[in-house]
Amino acid sequence: MTAVLTERTPRVAAARKLLRRASRLEAGRFLVEGVRPVHDALTWAEEGPGRVHDLFLTDAVADRDPTLEDRAIAAGVRVARVTEKAAAGLSDTVTPQGVAVVCSTVTVGLDAALGEHPRLVTVLAGVADPGNAGTVIRTSDAAGADAVVLAGDSRNQPVDPHNGKCVRATMGSLFHLPLAVARDVDAVVAALRERGLTLLAAAGDGETVLDASADPLLAAPTAWLFGSEAHGLDDDTTRLADHRVRVPIHGRAESLNLATAAAVCLYASARAHH
Amino acid sequence: MTAVLTERTPRVAAARKLLRRASRLEAGRFLVEGVRPVHDALTWAEEGPGRVHDLFLTDAVADRDPTLEDRAIAAGVRVARVTEKAAAGLSDTVTPQGVAVVCSTVTVGLDAALGEHPRLVTVLAGVADPGNAGTVIRTSDAAGADAVVLAGDSRNQPVDPHNGKCVRATMGSLFHLPLAVARDVDAVVAALRERGLTLLAAAGDGETVLDASADPLLAAPTAWLFGSEAHGLDDDTTRLADHRVRVPIHGRAESLNLATAAAVCLYASARAHH
């Protein structure tokens, strides 16, 4: 057995820095922690070389789940045992699980993410909460979306999908479909238009109601635009869409939250497409 | 202006105890905090006498939003100014807003909640996270459900909808539709059967797929059963349902989270009913 690394070991210290957005951007790497998410990352590593660089785990985790080290080694990932304290330092949760991997960032350029003929694309414009973004990435994956684009708006910069909270909320979907980050929503809209997509803006006061009457509209290749939790889509972004669509409210609720509204919209498209 | 109450004033100290579930059960009262939620509670107070008992607010909040005191007084709610510290003590958030009301608990008996001819009912069986429960209550309201029942299962006792996190997640829907808490899911199922409802269990491995082919099934009056975040519905509960229904997964996600799955299911019913 090789030495157990502490939080002061340069490799561990370098990995720890990836908890910060600026360091992730600079390094082009991010951290994935927890047994289940690390397994998701290792599956991703098996599908393409050089995607996952380091596995750090405590003796206790290695004893409990020997497949972690086995899979990592088979996928060409460097493996190191670390102290409990070092493992905790690689976590931004209150209950660190004692295992983390350093991965290359998953995002690709906008054109690469969209491909040539996307049928269903999710655009988050100004969504600020990483947990919400992660949940919508997971739902987009489940609904069969071809890509998710994280864009900024006039108020918020795009959320970083490599944020720990976002990674956890995606439950592995981060590795399943192409993601792009784009500061400028206008460029995103242009790229979607180029591909002939119908642009639907989710808006609580939209003129188009998302019920059976919307089925013909939904049958076309579609990009959904979702705005921030607090303010929805800003006016400039909404104006770029072909239709402003509202999920009907049958009771007395004022609105749905972002993740549930997105689930209803994306599954309405999935229903129309399948 | 009357005296400003501190955290040691008996009324404030009594209200503070309502942050604990046992105290809420004993008193039949709960706390609602924050400007927007308090306004929702005051609307509820206006619709029925004796529902809201005390409004506690800081001078700063009263200055910023004078309608809070005006509405409370008009609705027969006792009003008291409190210190910032006292207001913070009535909050279970990290950023207390300086305003809270003491309300009578909103839950009613199972038969009262269901009424005679419900068309759409949500049953949460063993859901443990108050935030998830609150989100599903909000979505149920939006989808036009007639009632939400919070039931236990073999692993978890029912969540208390008066928990602060749940109250916030409902965004006022707590006050919009009848809620019942029932320890025993068998009794809930019996009450649903008595009313002729079709029982649909949401299950990731269900035989019935929630796509257009399910429309005839969904047209009937329906109760949806949703299980816990971690384990889904337990086998005993699932066996009580008429159909095990799965939201189709078109991509590579393993599942949806509870709140998004519930949104897709409830809106599929809403679509079939409207």
Side-chain angles (χ1 to χ4, degrees):
Chain A
M1 186 55 50
T2 52
V4 174
L5 309 185
T6 72
E7 69 280 8
R8 283 184 300 275
T9 311
R11 270 165 68 196
V12 178
R16 181 173 186 164
K17 283 192 187 150
L18 301 175
L19 292 173
R20 294 200 313 263
R21 181 175 191 154
S23 301
R24 291 193 294 269
L25 270 177
E26 196 186 305
R29 296 185 173 194
F30 74 114
L31 277 171
V32 172
E33 49 150 337
V35 174
R36 165 74 195 268
V38 164
H39 272 298
D40 291 330
L42 291 173
T43 301
W44 185 62
E46 287 159 6
E47 293 163 359
R51 290 173 163 181
V52 177
H53 310 282
D54 285 286
L55 167 68
F56 297 112
L57 76 177
T58 61
D59 288 343
V61 170
D63 288 349
R64 224 166 28 233
D65 184 354
T67 65
L68 283 165
E69 283 183 328
D70 295 346
R71 293 189 72 195
I73 290 162
V77 177
R78 188 162 58 162
V79 174
R81 297 285 180 95
V82 296
T83 63
E84 295 283 348
K85 190 176 171 194
L90 297 175
S91 170
D92 59 358
T93 67
V94 279
T95 52
Q97 289 188 35
V99 56
V101 281
V102 175
C103 305
S104 289
T105 49
V106 299
T107 44
V108 295
L110 184 59
D111 284 327
L114 296 178
E116 283 186 31
H117 302 292
R119 302 259 312 147
L120 183 59
V121 174
T122 300
V123 180
L124 297 180
V127 168
D129 180 77
N132 280 341
T135 302
V136 178
I137 290 169
R138 178 181 178 188
T139 306
S140 298
D141 179 14
D146 298 296
V148 176
V149 182
L150 301 129
D153 73 356
S154 57
R155 287 171 298 237
N156 297 305
Q157 66 170 337
V159 80
D160 177 12
H162 305 99
N163 171 297
K165 212 175 149 190
C166 181
V167 172
R168 285 189 294 280
T170 68
M171 290 290 281
S173 290
L174 186 79
F175 301 115
H176 294 167
L177 77 175
L179 303 182
V181 173
R183 199 158 294 268
D184 176 16
V185 78
D186 290 12
V188 176
V189 166
L192 297 167
R193 290 238 173 270
E194 234 172 67
R195 287 160 176 84
L197 293 166
T198 299
L199 268 60
L200 303 183
D205 60 348
E207 301 81 21
T208 303
V209 182
L210 194 68
D211 57 18
S213 68
D215 282 355
L217 180 63
L218 295 174
T222 296
W224 278 100
L225 310 181
F226 302 107
S228 78
E229 301 80 358
H231 308 286
L233 288 166
D234 63 26
D235 291 343
D236 289 345
T237 307
T238 304
R239 265 193 288 273
L240 300 170
D242 297 303
H243 302 273
R244 298 169 67 250
V245 182
R246 75 168 190 273
V247 176
I249 303 289
H250 302 290
R252 294 171 59 199
E254 239 179 62
S255 63
L256 293 167
N257 77 22
L258 168 65
T260 53
V264 174
C265 293
L266 291 166
Y267 265 91
S269 286
R271 178 193 161 110
H273 288 183
H274 287 91
Chain B
M1 188 53 50
T2 52
V4 174
L5 309 186
T6 73
E7 70 280 8
R8 285 184 300 274
T9 311
R11 273 164 66 195
V12 178
R16 181 173 186 165
K17 284 192 187 148
L18 300 175
L19 292 173
R20 293 201 311 266
R21 182 174 191 156
S23 302
R24 291 193 294 269
L25 270 177
E26 195 186 306
R29 296 185 173 193
F30 74 115
L31 278 170
V32 173
E33 50 150 337
V35 174
R36 165 72 194 269
V38 164
H39 272 298
D40 292 330
L42 291 173
T43 300
W44 185 61
E46 287 158 6
E47 293 163 359
R51 290 172 163 180
V52 177
H53 309 283
D54 285 285
L55 168 68
F56 298 111
L57 76 176
T58 61
D59 287 344
V61 171
D63 289 348
R64 224 164 32 232
D65 184 353
T67 65
L68 283 164
E69 283 183 327
D70 295 345
R71 293 188 71 194
I73 290 162
V77 176
R78 191 162 54 161
V79 174
R81 298 285 180 95
V82 295
T83 62
E84 296 283 346
K85 190 175 170 196
L90 298 174
S91 170
D92 59 358
T93 66
V94 279
T95 52
Q97 289 189 35
V99 56
V101 281
V102 175
C103 305
S104 289
T105 49
V106 299
T107 45
V108 296
L110 184 59
D111 284 327
L114 296 177
E116 284 185 29
H117 302 292
R119 302 259 312 147
L120 183 58
V121 174
T122 301
V123 180
L124 298 179
V127 169
D129 181 76
N132 280 342
T135 301
V136 178
I137 290 169
R138 178 181 179 187
T139 306
S140 298
D141 180 15
D146 297 297
V148 176
V149 182
L150 301 129
D153 72 356
S154 56
R155 288 172 297 239
N156 297 305
Q157 65 169 337
V159 81
D160 178 11
H162 305 101
N163 171 297
K165 211 174 150 190
C166 180
V167 172
R168 285 190 293 281
T170 69
M171 289 290 281
S173 290
L174 186 78
F175 301 115
H176 294 167
L177 78 174
L179 304 182
V181 173
R183 201 158 292 267
D184 176 18
V185 78
D186 291 11
V188 175
V189 165
L192 297 167
R193 290 238 173 271
E194 236 171 67
R195 287 163 176 82
L197 292 167
T198 299
L199 268 61
L200 303 183
D205 60 350
E207 301 81 20
T208 303
V209 182
L210 194 69
D211 58 17
S213 68
D215 282 355
L217 181 64
L218 295 175
T222 296
W224 279 100
L225 310 181
F226 302 107
S228 78
E229 300 80 359
H231 309 287
L233 287 167
D234 64 27
D235 292 342
D236 290 345
T237 306
T238 304
R239 266 193 288 273
L240 300 170
D242 297 302
H243 302 273
R244 299 168 67 250
V245 182
R246 75 168 191 272
V247 176
I249 303 289
H250 302 290
R252 292 171 61 200
E254 239 179 61
S255 63
L256 291 168
N257 78 20
L258 168 64
T260 53
V264 173
C265 293
L266 291 166
Y267 264 92
S269 286
R271 178 192 161 111
H273 288 182
H274 287 90

